[in-house]
Amino acid sequence: MVSRKISLLLAAVFLVPFVLSAQEHNASKPKPRVIMIGVNGMELDIIRPLILKGDMPNLARVIENGAYGKLRTVSGPNCPRVYSTLFTSTKPEEHGVTGFLVGGITANTHMLKEEPIWSMLSKQGITVGMANVPATFPVMPVNGYMISGMLTRGKNCEDGVLCAPKLSEVTGGDAVYPRAMKDELLKNVGDFYIDCERMPSAADLKGHEAEVINQWLAKVQTIRDQQTKLFDYLLASHPTNFTFLAQSCEDRTGHWLYPITPFNVGYNASINSIRQDAFPNQYVAFDKVLGTILKHADENTYVVIVSDHGIKPLREFEEKDPHAHADHEKTTPVIAKHDFADGDDVPGSVFIMGPGIKRDFRLMGLDASVYDIAPTLLHIYSIEQPKQMRGRVLSEIFEGQARDSKVAASN
Ligand SMILES: [Zn+2]
């Protein structure tokens, strides 16, 4: 009851009319434009060879023209937990979205106890557009639009956990803000899938491995094509100062099709020898999505690519728990994961280019963290960092600036 009261109170705080405070902001100065792309579970071990081979030319362009590095993530990282940290620069136990399930209930935006970045930007008169970002269901009002992502519930995806309802089949809350935009999207983009396909179960796979794997990968590509069409449409028809788009099929693929060797934990030749190219191909496909998005960015646009964590093969010697081999309480035979107790084993990553950002600059070690993204975005918009934020502005990526003396957030 108490937490319900708190969440209602916070909802009221988040909903302060945007227009009033927008007038306080300097209206004559053009507002920076930021396009942020979230990639769930981008694994640097996989993408580095692809960049060397020239298979990710768009990401290579961002690296060459900007700053990049690893991002220290939180302990036991998963998408809702880390994305909510990205949104708020607070610890999971502070913002409340500690995992896929919180107290046995699928995480949702009513659980968010700290103010997210989209609310702060909206209040300052900055236009905000978001699509497919994890843990944004039901959608919240912004000074623009919001289309939900991972954890959206609907037909064949009743719990909302790691599955894909179609836009027309969403239940239990709104997937689009403002509501009227839903019909516009259905008309102009089609009835797209939200988030990404559920992984097949061990029973589905048995005896039909190659067929199930290939069908699943084809569905994943269909979903990615739909999302690309959505992003292209939104960037062309609804440009906003801050746009945040996310991808989730890469991580989903890595969990059960990571290119492991027969020496790795969980290796099953009937599954794992079939499509060793499946997981790397996801990043090649992502790079094409990035190419579409970059067509909407000019030299005055900040492009920020962020990953919440990496993903690594299982390690039996420290994973005695039998549940460690079945992801997110489902039955899929997973062979790679990211919710290791030591988040430093699976760091996220950031790639950023734009006006005043150093070129070909590398962030070393794990000095930058997922807590630093929101403060850095606020800095771009000249908005002061609120006290509750634990991260720091990544000042060292800006021309003429050195590293901020503030101590990085602890894990
Ligand atoms: Zn995952």
Side-chain angles (χ1 to χ4, degrees):
M1 197 61 204
V2 173
S3 71
R4 171 104 187 118
K5 264 188 195 159
I6 290 170
S7 79
L8 284 173
L9 195 73
L10 277 160
V13 172
F14 294 164
L15 299 181
V16 167
F18 310 129
V19 186
L20 281 176
S21 44
Q23 286 167 352
E24 292 163 18
H25 210 74
N26 187 350
S28 59
K29 205 175 147 205
K31 296 179 179 74
R33 181 156 179 254
V34 176
I35 302 178
M36 182 147 115
I37 305 130
V39 185
N40 303 343
M42 186 184 272
E43 177 47 58
L44 293 168
D45 285 354
I46 301 287
I47 69 165
R48 281 190 175 117
L50 296 172
I51 291 169
L52 278 175
K53 284 197 282 180
D55 288 346
M56 297 188 76
N58 295 301
L59 187 66
R61 194 180 126 199
V62 178
I63 291 173
E64 217 172 284
N65 291 292
Y68 98 97
K70 295 187 284 291
L71 279 186
R72 167 166 272 184
T73 190
V74 300
S75 171
N78 61 46
C79 290
R81 188 175 165 85
V82 188
Y83 269 87
S84 300
T85 297
L86 283 168
F87 303 154
T88 62
S89 188
T90 61
K91 292 184 175 189
E93 52 273 28
E94 291 166 338
H95 59 63
V97 181
T98 49
F100 286 89
L101 302 178
V102 180
I105 300 166
T106 302
N108 61 69
T109 48
H110 299 304
M111 294 173 176
L112 201 57
K113 292 188 284 188
E114 297 287 352
E115 185 171 10
I117 183 91
W118 61 77
S119 164
M120 293 176 194
L121 295 175
S122 291
K123 282 183 191 170
Q124 296 293 327
I126 290 150
T127 53
V128 170
M130 294 171 57
N132 205 40
V133 178
T136 57
F137 181 78
V139 286
M140 296 167 86
V142 284
N143 183 21
Y145 66 85
M146 187 187 290
I147 302 154
S148 64
M150 182 189 289
L151 299 183
T152 300
R153 286 172 282 158
K155 192 180 167 197
N156 302 319
C157 185
E158 280 69 18
D159 63 357
V161 179
L162 299 171
C163 38
K166 282 182 178 174
L167 177 60
S168 68
E169 295 175 345
V170 170
T171 54
D174 285 341
V176 180
Y177 175 89
R179 252 183 206 169
M181 197 178 177
K182 183 176 164 182
D183 285 342
E184 179 202 325
L185 294 173
L186 288 168
K187 184 167 163 263
N188 295 295
V189 184
D191 197 7
F192 57 87
Y193 286 100
I194 294 173
D195 186 29
C196 194
E197 181 72 344
R198 192 188 287 281
M199 294 182 279
S201 69
D204 293 337
L205 280 159
K206 201 163 174 55
H208 312 277
E209 287 84 354
E211 190 190 338
V212 171
I213 289 169
N214 289 322
Q215 274 174 6
W216 190 87
L217 290 170
K219 176 82 179 282
V220 161
Q221 190 52 42
T222 299
I223 292 173
R224 185 181 278 107
D225 290 342
Q226 291 178 349
Q227 287 170 356
T228 308
K229 189 176 173 190
L230 172 67
F231 298 164
D232 202 23
Y233 175 77
L234 293 170
L235 288 164
S237 306
H238 295 275
T240 51
N241 303 133
F242 175 72
T243 312
F244 188 2
L245 311 167
Q247 291 276 279
S248 47
C249 289
E250 298 78 9
D251 171 84
R252 203 73 49 86
T253 307
H255 276 293
W256 68 292
L257 295 172
Y258 199 107
I260 58 169
T261 72
F263 302 101
N264 281 103
V265 177
Y267 184 84
N268 173 348
S270 64
I271 297 173
N272 304 120
S273 66
I274 291 175
R275 290 293 301 271
Q276 288 264 319
D277 61 336
F279 186 40
N281 283 353
Q282 297 300 309
Y283 296 113
V284 177
F286 161 70
D287 196 76
K288 293 195 171 76
V289 180
L290 180 59
T292 301
I293 294 170
L294 288 179
K295 284 186 191 140
H296 297 275
D298 61 17
E299 68 279 7
N300 292 316
T301 308
Y302 292 89
V303 174
V304 185
I305 302 158
V306 152
S307 177
D308 50 345
H309 52 69
I311 178 165
K312 302 273 194 221
L314 299 176
R315 294 170 306 195
E316 195 165 46
F317 64 90
E318 62 180 26
E319 303 292 334
K320 303 293 183 201
D321 177 358
H323 295 296
H325 298 194
D327 198 51
H328 311 308
E329 296 155 49
K330 300 286 185 250
T331 62
T332 314
V334 306
I335 50 169
K337 66 173 206 165
H338 42 76
D339 51 353
F340 295 105
D342 185 354
D344 287 356
D345 284 348
V346 278
S349 45
V350 64
F351 307 80
I352 176 167
M353 69 174 183
I357 301 287
K358 289 175 186 165
R359 288 168 61 94
D360 199 18
F361 179 78
R362 184 145 163 235
L363 291 155
M364 296 292 189
L366 290 167
D367 191 30
S369 90
V370 292
Y371 291 93
D372 303 335
I373 299 302
T376 303
L377 290 170
L378 291 180
H379 175 75
I380 288 173
Y381 287 103
S382 307
I383 300 171
E384 203 182 328
Q385 179 176 341
K387 278 194 196 71
Q388 76 275 12
M389 285 195 169
R390 290 181 173 273
R392 65 177 180 92
V393 175
L394 295 173
S395 53
E396 65 272 40
I397 66 173
F398 294 92
E399 293 288 359
Q401 290 189 52
R403 190 195 181 289
D404 198 309
S405 57
K406 190 174 172 183
V407 178
S410 64
N411 209 346

